[in-house]
Amino acid sequence: RKLEKGDRVVTYYKGQRYDYIVTSKKVVQATDVRYLTNPSDTPILTLQTCDPPGSSLRRLIITAKLVEL
């Protein structure tokens, strides 16, 4: 919930670091899964959680774009 547009998200996979910059933050209906199924031409990271926390009312979707190092 604390991530905002422009924030950096760092992940590691198989010993390699990947940096992403948050590009959007949206609250959508719990049944709206298009953000999880839409194909992308560029590498993106999609984070999903409950909104409000601990409920199943809505989804908080954070999208971040891969930063080329």
Side-chain angles (χ1 to χ4, degrees):
R1 302 188 65 78
K2 295 180 182 179
L3 287 172
E4 297 295 338
K5 189 173 180 179
D7 286 351
R8 183 175 294 262
V9 177
V10 178
T11 63
Y12 291 88
Y13 179 69
K14 293 189 177 183
Q16 186 166 346
R17 178 179 166 150
Y18 296 90
D19 288 42
Y20 294 85
I21 299 296
V22 173
T23 56
S24 70
K25 178 178 182 178
K26 299 175 185 170
V27 175
V28 299
Q29 295 300 316
T31 56
D32 189 354
V33 296
R34 65 185 150 146
Y35 298 97
L36 304 175
T37 59
N38 277 348
S40 175
D41 294 334
T42 59
I44 60 168
L45 175 70
T46 303
L47 304 172
Q48 169 189 295
T49 192
C50 306
D51 186 77
S55 77
S56 60
L57 294 175
R58 292 177 298 275
R59 299 175 193 264
L60 171 62
I61 307 291
I62 305 285
T63 305
K65 186 184 285 189
L66 182 66
V67 175
E68 299 296 328
L69 300 177

Short mmCIF file of all heavy atoms in Angstrom, two decimals:
data_model
loop_
_atom_site.label_atom_id
_atom_site.label_comp_id
_atom_site.label_asym_id
_atom_site.label_seq_id
_atom_site.Cartn_x
_atom_site.Cartn_y
_atom_site.Cartn_z
N ARG A 1 0.81 -1.20 0.00
CA ARG A 1 0.00 0.00 0.00
C ARG A 1 0.85 1.25 0.00
O ARG A 1 0.39 2.31 -0.37
CB ARG A 1 -0.92 -0.01 1.21
CG ARG A 1 -1.83 -1.19 1.30
CD ARG A 1 -2.83 -1.02 2.40
NE ARG A 1 -3.75 0.06 2.17
CZ ARG A 1 -4.79 0.02 1.35
NH1 ARG A 1 -5.04 -1.07 0.69
NH2 ARG A 1 -5.58 1.06 1.22
N LYS A 2 2.08 1.14 0.44
CA LYS A 2 2.93 2.32 0.57
C LYS A 2 3.66 2.67 -0.72
O LYS A 2 4.21 3.76 -0.84
CB LYS A 2 3.94 2.13 1.69
CG LYS A 2 3.28 2.02 3.05
CD LYS A 2 4.30 1.83 4.14
CE LYS A 2 3.63 1.66 5.48
NZ LYS A 2 4.62 1.46 6.55
N LEU A 3 3.68 1.77 -1.69
CA LEU A 3 4.35 2.07 -2.96
C LEU A 3 3.59 3.15 -3.71
O LEU A 3 2.37 3.18 -3.74
CB LEU A 3 4.43 0.82 -3.83
CG LEU A 3 5.42 -0.24 -3.41
CD1 LEU A 3 5.26 -1.50 -4.26
CD2 LEU A 3 6.84 0.28 -3.50
N GLU A 4 4.36 4.04 -4.34
CA GLU A 4 3.79 5.12 -5.14
C GLU A 4 4.48 5.17 -6.49
O GLU A 4 5.58 4.64 -6.67
CB GLU A 4 3.96 6.47 -4.42
CG GLU A 4 3.24 6.58 -3.10
CD GLU A 4 1.73 6.53 -3.20
OE1 GLU A 4 1.19 6.81 -4.31
OE2 GLU A 4 1.08 6.21 -2.20
N LYS A 5 3.86 5.83 -7.45
CA LYS A 5 4.43 6.00 -8.78
C LYS A 5 5.83 6.59 -8.66
O LYS A 5 6.04 7.56 -7.94
CB LYS A 5 3.53 6.91 -9.62
CG LYS A 5 3.90 6.95 -11.06
CD LYS A 5 2.86 7.73 -11.85
CE LYS A 5 3.24 7.77 -13.30
NZ LYS A 5 2.26 8.50 -14.10
N GLY A 6 6.80 5.97 -9.35
CA GLY A 6 8.18 6.43 -9.32
C GLY A 6 9.05 5.67 -8.32
O GLY A 6 10.27 5.75 -8.38
N ASP A 7 8.43 4.92 -7.39
CA ASP A 7 9.21 4.13 -6.43
C ASP A 7 9.92 2.98 -7.13
O ASP A 7 9.44 2.47 -8.15
CB ASP A 7 8.30 3.55 -5.33
CG ASP A 7 7.85 4.58 -4.32
OD1 ASP A 7 8.36 5.72 -4.35
OD2 ASP A 7 6.97 4.24 -3.50
N ARG A 8 11.04 2.55 -6.55
CA ARG A 8 11.82 1.44 -7.10
C ARG A 8 11.49 0.17 -6.32
O ARG A 8 11.41 0.17 -5.10
CB ARG A 8 13.31 1.74 -6.99
CG ARG A 8 14.21 0.66 -7.59
CD ARG A 8 15.67 1.09 -7.55
NE ARG A 8 15.89 2.25 -8.41
CZ ARG A 8 16.38 2.18 -9.64
NH1 ARG A 8 16.73 1.02 -10.16
NH2 ARG A 8 16.55 3.28 -10.35
N VAL A 9 11.31 -0.93 -7.08
CA VAL A 9 11.10 -2.26 -6.51
C VAL A 9 12.25 -3.13 -6.99
O VAL A 9 12.51 -3.22 -8.19
CB VAL A 9 9.75 -2.87 -6.96
CG1 VAL A 9 9.59 -4.27 -6.41
CG2 VAL A 9 8.59 -1.98 -6.56
N VAL A 10 12.95 -3.77 -6.05
CA VAL A 10 14.10 -4.61 -6.40
C VAL A 10 13.74 -6.06 -6.12
O VAL A 10 13.26 -6.39 -5.03
CB VAL A 10 15.35 -4.21 -5.59
CG1 VAL A 10 16.51 -5.12 -5.92
CG2 VAL A 10 15.71 -2.75 -5.85
N THR A 11 13.94 -6.91 -7.12
CA THR A 11 13.71 -8.34 -6.96
C THR A 11 14.98 -9.08 -7.37
O THR A 11 15.82 -8.54 -8.09
CB THR A 11 12.54 -8.84 -7.82
OG1 THR A 11 12.86 -8.64 -9.20
CG2 THR A 11 11.25 -8.11 -7.50
N TYR A 12 15.09 -10.32 -6.93
CA TYR A 12 16.22 -11.19 -7.29
C TYR A 12 15.66 -12.50 -7.81
O TYR A 12 14.73 -13.06 -7.22
CB TYR A 12 17.12 -11.45 -6.09
CG TYR A 12 17.88 -10.22 -5.65
CD1 TYR A 12 17.33 -9.33 -4.75
CD2 TYR A 12 19.15 -9.94 -6.17
CE1 TYR A 12 18.01 -8.19 -4.35
CE2 TYR A 12 19.84 -8.81 -5.78
CZ TYR A 12 19.26 -7.94 -4.87
OH TYR A 12 19.93 -6.82 -4.49
N TYR A 13 16.23 -12.98 -8.90
CA TYR A 13 15.83 -14.26 -9.47
C TYR A 13 17.07 -14.97 -9.98
O TYR A 13 17.81 -14.40 -10.80
CB TYR A 13 14.81 -14.05 -10.60
CG TYR A 13 14.37 -15.32 -11.25
CD1 TYR A 13 13.58 -16.24 -10.55
CD2 TYR A 13 14.73 -15.62 -12.54
CE1 TYR A 13 13.17 -17.41 -11.15
CE2 TYR A 13 14.33 -16.80 -13.15
CZ TYR A 13 13.54 -17.69 -12.44
OH TYR A 13 13.14 -18.86 -13.03
N LYS A 14 17.31 -16.17 -9.46
CA LYS A 14 18.48 -16.97 -9.84
C LYS A 14 19.76 -16.15 -9.69
O LYS A 14 20.63 -16.16 -10.57
CB LYS A 14 18.33 -17.53 -11.24
CG LYS A 14 17.23 -18.56 -11.34
CD LYS A 14 17.23 -19.25 -12.67
CE LYS A 14 16.14 -20.33 -12.69
NZ LYS A 14 16.14 -21.08 -13.93
N GLY A 15 19.87 -15.42 -8.60
CA GLY A 15 21.07 -14.67 -8.30
C GLY A 15 21.25 -13.38 -9.07
O GLY A 15 22.24 -12.69 -8.91
N GLN A 16 20.30 -13.02 -9.91
CA GLN A 16 20.40 -11.78 -10.69
C GLN A 16 19.41 -10.76 -10.15
O GLN A 16 18.27 -11.07 -9.80
CB GLN A 16 20.10 -12.03 -12.16
CG GLN A 16 20.35 -10.81 -13.02
CD GLN A 16 20.40 -11.15 -14.50
OE1 GLN A 16 20.50 -12.30 -14.90
NE2 GLN A 16 20.33 -10.12 -15.32
N ARG A 17 19.84 -9.51 -10.10
CA ARG A 17 19.01 -8.42 -9.60
C ARG A 17 18.21 -7.80 -10.74
O ARG A 17 18.72 -7.57 -11.84
CB ARG A 17 19.91 -7.35 -8.97
CG ARG A 17 19.17 -6.15 -8.47
CD ARG A 17 20.10 -5.14 -7.86
NE ARG A 17 19.43 -3.87 -7.68
CZ ARG A 17 19.72 -3.01 -6.73
NH1 ARG A 17 20.70 -3.26 -5.88
NH2 ARG A 17 19.07 -1.88 -6.63
N TYR A 18 16.95 -7.50 -10.45
CA TYR A 18 16.05 -6.83 -11.39
C TYR A 18 15.43 -5.63 -10.69
O TYR A 18 14.84 -5.78 -9.63
CB TYR A 18 14.96 -7.77 -11.89
CG TYR A 18 15.49 -8.94 -12.67
CD1 TYR A 18 15.84 -10.12 -12.03
CD2 TYR A 18 15.67 -8.86 -14.05
CE1 TYR A 18 16.34 -11.21 -12.74
CE2 TYR A 18 16.17 -9.93 -14.77
CZ TYR A 18 16.50 -11.11 -14.10
OH TYR A 18 16.99 -12.17 -14.81
N ASP A 19 15.57 -4.46 -11.28
CA ASP A 19 15.01 -3.23 -10.72
C ASP A 19 13.81 -2.80 -11.57
O ASP A 19 13.88 -2.80 -12.80
CB ASP A 19 16.05 -2.10 -10.73
CG ASP A 19 17.14 -2.30 -9.71
OD1 ASP A 19 17.62 -3.44 -9.57
OD2 ASP A 19 17.51 -1.32 -9.05
N TYR A 20 12.75 -2.44 -10.88
CA TYR A 20 11.53 -1.98 -11.54
C TYR A 20 11.13 -0.63 -10.96
O TYR A 20 11.38 -0.35 -9.79
CB TYR A 20 10.37 -2.96 -11.30
CG TYR A 20 10.56 -4.31 -11.94
CD1 TYR A 20 11.29 -5.31 -11.30
CD2 TYR A 20 9.99 -4.60 -13.17
CE1 TYR A 20 11.46 -6.55 -11.88
CE2 TYR A 20 10.15 -5.85 -13.76
CZ TYR A 20 10.89 -6.81 -13.10
OH TYR A 20 11.04 -8.04 -13.68
N ILE A 21 10.50 0.20 -11.78
CA ILE A 21 9.97 1.49 -11.33
C ILE A 21 8.45 1.43 -11.43
O ILE A 21 7.89 1.08 -12.49
CB ILE A 21 10.51 2.67 -12.20
CG1 ILE A 21 12.03 2.75 -12.09
CG2 ILE A 21 9.85 3.98 -11.79
CD1 ILE A 21 12.55 3.08 -10.71
N VAL A 22 7.78 1.77 -10.34
CA VAL A 22 6.32 1.73 -10.29
C VAL A 22 5.76 2.76 -11.28
O VAL A 22 6.14 3.93 -11.27
CB VAL A 22 5.80 2.02 -8.87
CG1 VAL A 22 4.28 2.15 -8.86
CG2 VAL A 22 6.27 0.94 -7.90
N THR A 23 4.85 2.29 -12.14
CA THR A 23 4.24 3.16 -13.14
C THR A 23 2.77 3.42 -12.87
O THR A 23 2.22 4.41 -13.35
CB THR A 23 4.39 2.56 -14.55
OG1 THR A 23 3.83 1.25 -14.56
CG2 THR A 23 5.85 2.51 -14.97
N SER A 24 2.12 2.53 -12.10
CA SER A 24 0.71 2.77 -11.80
C SER A 24 0.29 2.04 -10.53
O SER A 24 0.90 1.05 -10.13
CB SER A 24 -0.20 2.36 -12.96
OG SER A 24 -0.22 0.96 -13.09
N LYS A 25 -0.75 2.58 -9.92
CA LYS A 25 -1.33 2.02 -8.69
C LYS A 25 -2.84 2.19 -8.83
O LYS A 25 -3.32 3.31 -8.98
CB LYS A 25 -0.79 2.79 -7.49
CG LYS A 25 -1.33 2.34 -6.16
CD LYS A 25 -0.68 3.16 -5.06
CE LYS A 25 -1.12 2.74 -3.69
NZ LYS A 25 -0.44 3.52 -2.63
N LYS A 26 -3.57 1.05 -8.82
CA LYS A 26 -5.01 1.11 -9.04
C LYS A 26 -5.73 0.19 -8.06
O LYS A 26 -5.22 -0.86 -7.70
CB LYS A 26 -5.36 0.63 -10.45
CG LYS A 26 -4.75 1.45 -11.54
CD LYS A 26 -5.04 0.86 -12.88
CE LYS A 26 -4.28 1.68 -13.90
NZ LYS A 26 -4.27 1.15 -15.20
N VAL A 27 -6.93 0.58 -7.68
CA VAL A 27 -7.83 -0.29 -6.93
C VAL A 27 -8.93 -0.69 -7.90
O VAL A 27 -9.56 0.16 -8.52
CB VAL A 27 -8.40 0.42 -5.69
CG1 VAL A 27 -9.41 -0.46 -4.99
CG2 VAL A 27 -7.27 0.83 -4.74
N VAL A 28 -9.12 -2.00 -8.06
CA VAL A 28 -10.11 -2.52 -9.01
C VAL A 28 -11.04 -3.49 -8.28
O VAL A 28 -10.77 -3.92 -7.15
CB VAL A 28 -9.43 -3.21 -10.21
CG1 VAL A 28 -8.55 -2.23 -10.96
CG2 VAL A 28 -8.63 -4.43 -9.77
N GLN A 29 -12.11 -3.85 -8.94
CA GLN A 29 -13.03 -4.84 -8.38
C GLN A 29 -12.33 -6.19 -8.24
O GLN A 29 -11.44 -6.51 -9.02
CB GLN A 29 -14.27 -4.98 -9.26
CG GLN A 29 -15.12 -3.73 -9.32
CD GLN A 29 -15.63 -3.33 -7.95
OE1 GLN A 29 -16.08 -4.15 -7.16
NE2 GLN A 29 -15.53 -2.04 -7.65
N ALA A 30 -12.74 -6.98 -7.28
CA ALA A 30 -12.12 -8.28 -7.02
C ALA A 30 -12.23 -9.22 -8.21
O ALA A 30 -11.38 -10.08 -8.42
CB ALA A 30 -12.74 -8.92 -5.79
N THR A 31 -13.25 -9.05 -9.03
CA THR A 31 -13.46 -9.92 -10.20
C THR A 31 -12.67 -9.46 -11.43
O THR A 31 -12.63 -10.18 -12.42
CB THR A 31 -14.95 -9.97 -10.55
OG1 THR A 31 -15.41 -8.62 -10.77
CG2 THR A 31 -15.75 -10.62 -9.44
N ASP A 32 -12.05 -8.31 -11.38
CA ASP A 32 -11.32 -7.75 -12.52
C ASP A 32 -9.91 -8.34 -12.57
O ASP A 32 -9.03 -7.95 -11.81
CB ASP A 32 -11.24 -6.22 -12.38
CG ASP A 32 -10.69 -5.55 -13.62
OD1 ASP A 32 -10.25 -6.25 -14.56
OD2 ASP A 32 -10.70 -4.30 -13.65
N VAL A 33 -9.70 -9.30 -13.47
CA VAL A 33 -8.41 -9.97 -13.58
C VAL A 33 -7.63 -9.57 -14.83
O VAL A 33 -6.58 -10.13 -15.12
CB VAL A 33 -8.56 -11.50 -13.53
CG1 VAL A 33 -9.10 -11.95 -12.20
CG2 VAL A 33 -9.44 -12.00 -14.67
N ARG A 34 -8.11 -8.59 -15.57
CA ARG A 34 -7.44 -8.22 -16.83
C ARG A 34 -6.01 -7.76 -16.61
O ARG A 34 -5.17 -7.91 -17.48
CB ARG A 34 -8.23 -7.18 -17.59
CG ARG A 34 -8.33 -5.85 -16.87
CD ARG A 34 -9.23 -4.90 -17.60
NE ARG A 34 -9.81 -4.03 -16.61
CZ ARG A 34 -10.09 -2.76 -16.83
NH1 ARG A 34 -9.85 -2.24 -18.00
NH2 ARG A 34 -10.61 -2.04 -15.88
N TYR A 35 -5.70 -7.20 -15.45
CA TYR A 35 -4.34 -6.74 -15.17
C TYR A 35 -3.39 -7.91 -14.99
O TYR A 35 -2.18 -7.76 -15.09
CB TYR A 35 -4.32 -5.85 -13.93
CG TYR A 35 -5.14 -4.60 -14.12
CD1 TYR A 35 -6.44 -4.52 -13.66
CD2 TYR A 35 -4.61 -3.52 -14.81
CE1 TYR A 35 -7.20 -3.39 -13.87
CE2 TYR A 35 -5.37 -2.38 -15.03
CZ TYR A 35 -6.66 -2.32 -14.56
OH TYR A 35 -7.41 -1.20 -14.78
N LEU A 36 -3.94 -9.07 -14.73
CA LEU A 36 -3.11 -10.27 -14.55
C LEU A 36 -3.03 -11.11 -15.82
O LEU A 36 -2.18 -11.99 -15.92
CB LEU A 36 -3.69 -11.12 -13.41
CG LEU A 36 -3.84 -10.39 -12.08
CD1 LEU A 36 -4.53 -11.29 -11.07
CD2 LEU A 36 -2.50 -9.93 -11.56
N THR A 37 -3.90 -10.85 -16.77
CA THR A 37 -3.95 -11.68 -17.98
C THR A 37 -3.56 -10.94 -19.25
O THR A 37 -3.37 -11.58 -20.29
CB THR A 37 -5.36 -12.28 -18.17
OG1 THR A 37 -6.31 -11.21 -18.26
CG2 THR A 37 -5.73 -13.19 -17.00
N ASN A 38 -3.46 -9.61 -19.21
CA ASN A 38 -3.09 -8.84 -20.40
C ASN A 38 -1.63 -9.08 -20.77
O ASN A 38 -0.74 -8.90 -19.94
CB ASN A 38 -3.28 -7.34 -20.17
CG ASN A 38 -4.71 -6.90 -20.38
OD1 ASN A 38 -5.53 -7.65 -20.90
ND2 ASN A 38 -5.01 -5.69 -19.98
N PRO A 39 -1.35 -9.46 -22.02
CA PRO A 39 0.05 -9.61 -22.44
C PRO A 39 0.71 -8.23 -22.55
O PRO A 39 0.05 -7.23 -22.76
CB PRO A 39 -0.06 -10.28 -23.80
CG PRO A 39 -1.44 -10.00 -24.28
CD PRO A 39 -2.30 -9.79 -23.07
N SER A 40 2.03 -8.22 -22.41
CA SER A 40 2.79 -6.97 -22.50
C SER A 40 3.97 -7.16 -23.44
O SER A 40 4.60 -8.22 -23.44
CB SER A 40 3.28 -6.56 -21.11
OG SER A 40 4.11 -5.43 -21.21
N ASP A 41 4.28 -6.12 -24.21
CA ASP A 41 5.43 -6.16 -25.11
C ASP A 41 6.73 -5.89 -24.36
O ASP A 41 7.81 -6.18 -24.86
CB ASP A 41 5.28 -5.13 -26.23
CG ASP A 41 4.12 -5.47 -27.16
OD1 ASP A 41 3.77 -6.67 -27.26
OD2 ASP A 41 3.58 -4.55 -27.78
N THR A 42 6.62 -5.30 -23.18
CA THR A 42 7.81 -4.97 -22.38
C THR A 42 7.75 -5.71 -21.05
O THR A 42 6.67 -6.02 -20.55
CB THR A 42 7.89 -3.45 -22.11
OG1 THR A 42 6.71 -3.05 -21.40
CG2 THR A 42 8.00 -2.66 -23.41
N PRO A 43 8.91 -5.98 -20.45
CA PRO A 43 8.91 -6.66 -19.14
C PRO A 43 8.29 -5.78 -18.06
O PRO A 43 8.69 -4.63 -17.88
CB PRO A 43 10.40 -6.87 -18.85
CG PRO A 43 11.11 -6.69 -20.15
CD PRO A 43 10.26 -5.76 -20.96
N ILE A 44 7.28 -6.30 -17.39
CA ILE A 44 6.62 -5.58 -16.30
C ILE A 44 6.49 -6.50 -15.09
O ILE A 44 6.50 -7.72 -15.22
CB ILE A 44 5.24 -5.02 -16.69
CG1 ILE A 44 4.29 -6.15 -17.09
CG2 ILE A 44 5.34 -3.96 -17.74
CD1 ILE A 44 2.85 -5.72 -17.22
N LEU A 45 6.33 -5.89 -13.96
CA LEU A 45 6.06 -6.59 -12.71
C LEU A 45 4.68 -6.15 -12.25
O LEU A 45 4.39 -4.95 -12.21
CB LEU A 45 7.11 -6.20 -11.66
CG LEU A 45 6.92 -6.74 -10.25
CD1 LEU A 45 7.18 -8.24 -10.24
CD2 LEU A 45 7.87 -6.04 -9.30
N THR A 46 3.82 -7.10 -11.94
CA THR A 46 2.49 -6.80 -11.43
C THR A 46 2.36 -7.36 -10.03
O THR A 46 2.55 -8.57 -9.82
CB THR A 46 1.39 -7.37 -12.33
OG1 THR A 46 1.56 -6.87 -13.66
CG2 THR A 46 0.01 -7.01 -11.83
N LEU A 47 2.07 -6.50 -9.07
CA LEU A 47 1.85 -6.91 -7.68
C LEU A 47 0.38 -6.76 -7.37
O LEU A 47 -0.25 -5.78 -7.77
CB LEU A 47 2.67 -6.02 -6.74
CG LEU A 47 4.18 -5.97 -7.00
CD1 LEU A 47 4.83 -4.90 -6.12
CD2 LEU A 47 4.80 -7.32 -6.75
N GLN A 48 -0.18 -7.73 -6.67
CA GLN A 48 -1.60 -7.72 -6.34
C GLN A 48 -1.78 -8.03 -4.86
O GLN A 48 -1.12 -8.91 -4.33
CB GLN A 48 -2.31 -8.78 -7.17
CG GLN A 48 -3.72 -9.06 -6.74
CD GLN A 48 -4.28 -10.26 -7.44
OE1 GLN A 48 -4.44 -10.24 -8.64
NE2 GLN A 48 -4.59 -11.30 -6.69
N THR A 49 -2.70 -7.31 -4.23
CA THR A 49 -3.06 -7.58 -2.84
C THR A 49 -4.51 -7.20 -2.62
O THR A 49 -5.17 -6.67 -3.51
CB THR A 49 -2.11 -6.84 -1.86
OG1 THR A 49 -2.31 -7.34 -0.54
CG2 THR A 49 -2.32 -5.35 -1.91
N CYS A 50 -5.00 -7.47 -1.43
CA CYS A 50 -6.39 -7.15 -1.06
C CYS A 50 -6.53 -5.67 -0.74
O CYS A 50 -5.60 -5.04 -0.26
CB CYS A 50 -6.78 -7.94 0.18
SG CYS A 50 -6.54 -9.70 0.06
N ASP A 51 -7.73 -5.15 -0.97
CA ASP A 51 -8.03 -3.78 -0.58
C ASP A 51 -9.47 -3.71 -0.10
O ASP A 51 -10.38 -4.00 -0.89
CB ASP A 51 -7.84 -2.81 -1.75
CG ASP A 51 -8.00 -1.39 -1.32
OD1 ASP A 51 -7.07 -0.88 -0.70
OD2 ASP A 51 -9.07 -0.81 -1.57
N PRO A 52 -9.72 -3.36 1.13
CA PRO A 52 -8.76 -3.11 2.20
C PRO A 52 -8.07 -4.40 2.65
O PRO A 52 -8.57 -5.49 2.38
CB PRO A 52 -9.61 -2.52 3.33
CG PRO A 52 -11.00 -2.96 3.05
CD PRO A 52 -11.11 -3.16 1.57
N PRO A 53 -6.90 -4.26 3.28
CA PRO A 53 -6.13 -5.44 3.69
C PRO A 53 -6.98 -6.43 4.49
O PRO A 53 -7.78 -6.03 5.34
CB PRO A 53 -5.02 -4.86 4.57
CG PRO A 53 -4.86 -3.46 4.06
CD PRO A 53 -6.24 -3.01 3.68
N GLY A 54 -6.82 -7.71 4.17
CA GLY A 54 -7.53 -8.77 4.88
C GLY A 54 -8.94 -9.02 4.39
O GLY A 54 -9.64 -9.86 4.95
N SER A 55 -9.34 -8.32 3.34
CA SER A 55 -10.69 -8.51 2.81
C SER A 55 -10.61 -9.01 1.38
O SER A 55 -9.55 -9.07 0.79
CB SER A 55 -11.48 -7.20 2.84
OG SER A 55 -11.07 -6.37 1.79
N SER A 56 -11.76 -9.35 0.81
CA SER A 56 -11.80 -9.76 -0.59
C SER A 56 -12.70 -8.82 -1.40
O SER A 56 -13.19 -9.18 -2.45
CB SER A 56 -12.30 -11.20 -0.70
OG SER A 56 -13.60 -11.32 -0.15
N LEU A 57 -12.88 -7.60 -0.91
CA LEU A 57 -13.77 -6.63 -1.58
C LEU A 57 -13.20 -6.14 -2.90
O LEU A 57 -13.89 -6.10 -3.91
CB LEU A 57 -14.04 -5.45 -0.66
CG LEU A 57 -14.83 -5.74 0.60
CD1 LEU A 57 -14.93 -4.50 1.47
CD2 LEU A 57 -16.21 -6.26 0.24
N ARG A 58 -11.95 -5.72 -2.89
CA ARG A 58 -11.31 -5.17 -4.09
C ARG A 58 -9.86 -5.66 -4.15
O ARG A 58 -9.35 -6.26 -3.22
CB ARG A 58 -11.34 -3.64 -4.05
CG ARG A 58 -12.74 -3.07 -4.18
CD ARG A 58 -12.75 -1.56 -4.07
NE ARG A 58 -12.28 -1.09 -2.78
CZ ARG A 58 -13.01 -0.96 -1.68
NH1 ARG A 58 -14.28 -1.31 -1.70
NH2 ARG A 58 -12.50 -0.50 -0.57
N ARG A 59 -9.18 -5.32 -5.27
CA ARG A 59 -7.77 -5.65 -5.44
C ARG A 59 -6.98 -4.35 -5.61
O ARG A 59 -7.41 -3.44 -6.32
CB ARG A 59 -7.53 -6.47 -6.71
CG ARG A 59 -8.22 -7.78 -6.77
CD ARG A 59 -7.97 -8.41 -8.15
NE ARG A 59 -8.84 -9.52 -8.38
CZ ARG A 59 -8.51 -10.79 -8.18
NH1 ARG A 59 -7.32 -11.08 -7.73
NH2 ARG A 59 -9.36 -11.75 -8.42
N LEU A 60 -5.83 -4.31 -4.98
CA LEU A 60 -4.87 -3.23 -5.22
C LEU A 60 -3.85 -3.78 -6.19
O LEU A 60 -3.21 -4.81 -5.93
CB LEU A 60 -4.19 -2.80 -3.92
CG LEU A 60 -3.03 -1.82 -4.06
CD1 LEU A 60 -3.49 -0.50 -4.68
CD2 LEU A 60 -2.37 -1.59 -2.71
N ILE A 61 -3.70 -3.12 -7.34
CA ILE A 61 -2.78 -3.56 -8.39
C ILE A 61 -1.69 -2.53 -8.54
O ILE A 61 -1.95 -1.35 -8.80
CB ILE A 61 -3.50 -3.72 -9.74
CG1 ILE A 61 -4.73 -4.62 -9.63
CG2 ILE A 61 -2.54 -4.21 -10.81
CD1 ILE A 61 -4.44 -6.07 -9.36
N ILE A 62 -0.44 -2.96 -8.39
CA ILE A 62 0.74 -2.11 -8.61
C ILE A 62 1.45 -2.66 -9.84
O ILE A 62 1.74 -3.85 -9.92
CB ILE A 62 1.72 -2.17 -7.41
CG1 ILE A 62 1.03 -1.83 -6.11
CG2 ILE A 62 2.95 -1.31 -7.68
CD1 ILE A 62 0.74 -0.38 -5.90
N THR A 63 1.72 -1.79 -10.81
CA THR A 63 2.44 -2.18 -12.02
C THR A 63 3.76 -1.43 -12.07
O THR A 63 3.80 -0.22 -11.78
CB THR A 63 1.61 -1.87 -13.28
OG1 THR A 63 0.34 -2.50 -13.16
CG2 THR A 63 2.30 -2.37 -14.54
N ALA A 64 4.83 -2.15 -12.42
CA ALA A 64 6.16 -1.53 -12.49
C ALA A 64 6.88 -1.98 -13.76
O ALA A 64 6.71 -3.13 -14.20
CB ALA A 64 6.97 -1.91 -11.26
N LYS A 65 7.66 -1.07 -14.33
CA LYS A 65 8.39 -1.34 -15.58
C LYS A 65 9.85 -1.66 -15.25
O LYS A 65 10.46 -1.03 -14.38
CB LYS A 65 8.32 -0.10 -16.48
CG LYS A 65 8.92 -0.32 -17.86
CD LYS A 65 8.91 0.96 -18.68
CE LYS A 65 7.50 1.24 -19.16
NZ LYS A 65 7.48 2.34 -20.14
N LEU A 66 10.40 -2.66 -15.95
CA LEU A 66 11.79 -3.06 -15.76
C LEU A 66 12.74 -1.93 -16.16
O LEU A 66 12.57 -1.31 -17.21
CB LEU A 66 12.11 -4.31 -16.56
CG LEU A 66 13.51 -4.87 -16.44
CD1 LEU A 66 13.78 -5.38 -15.03
CD2 LEU A 66 13.71 -6.00 -17.44
N VAL A 67 13.72 -1.66 -15.32
CA VAL A 67 14.75 -0.65 -15.60
C VAL A 67 15.94 -1.36 -16.23
O VAL A 67 16.42 -2.36 -15.69
CB VAL A 67 15.21 0.04 -14.29
CG1 VAL A 67 16.36 1.00 -14.58
CG2 VAL A 67 14.06 0.75 -13.64
N GLU A 68 16.36 -0.89 -17.37
CA GLU A 68 17.56 -1.45 -18.02
C GLU A 68 18.80 -0.96 -17.30
O GLU A 68 19.00 0.24 -17.16
CB GLU A 68 17.60 -1.06 -19.50
CG GLU A 68 16.42 -1.55 -20.29
CD GLU A 68 16.32 -3.06 -20.39
OE1 GLU A 68 17.38 -3.73 -20.40
OE2 GLU A 68 15.19 -3.57 -20.44
N LEU A 69 19.60 -1.88 -16.78
CA LEU A 69 20.81 -1.49 -16.07
C LEU A 69 21.99 -1.35 -16.99
O LEU A 69 22.13 -1.92 -17.99
CB LEU A 69 21.11 -2.51 -14.96
CG LEU A 69 20.01 -2.63 -13.92
CD1 LEU A 69 20.37 -3.71 -12.91
CD2 LEU A 69 19.82 -1.31 -13.19
#
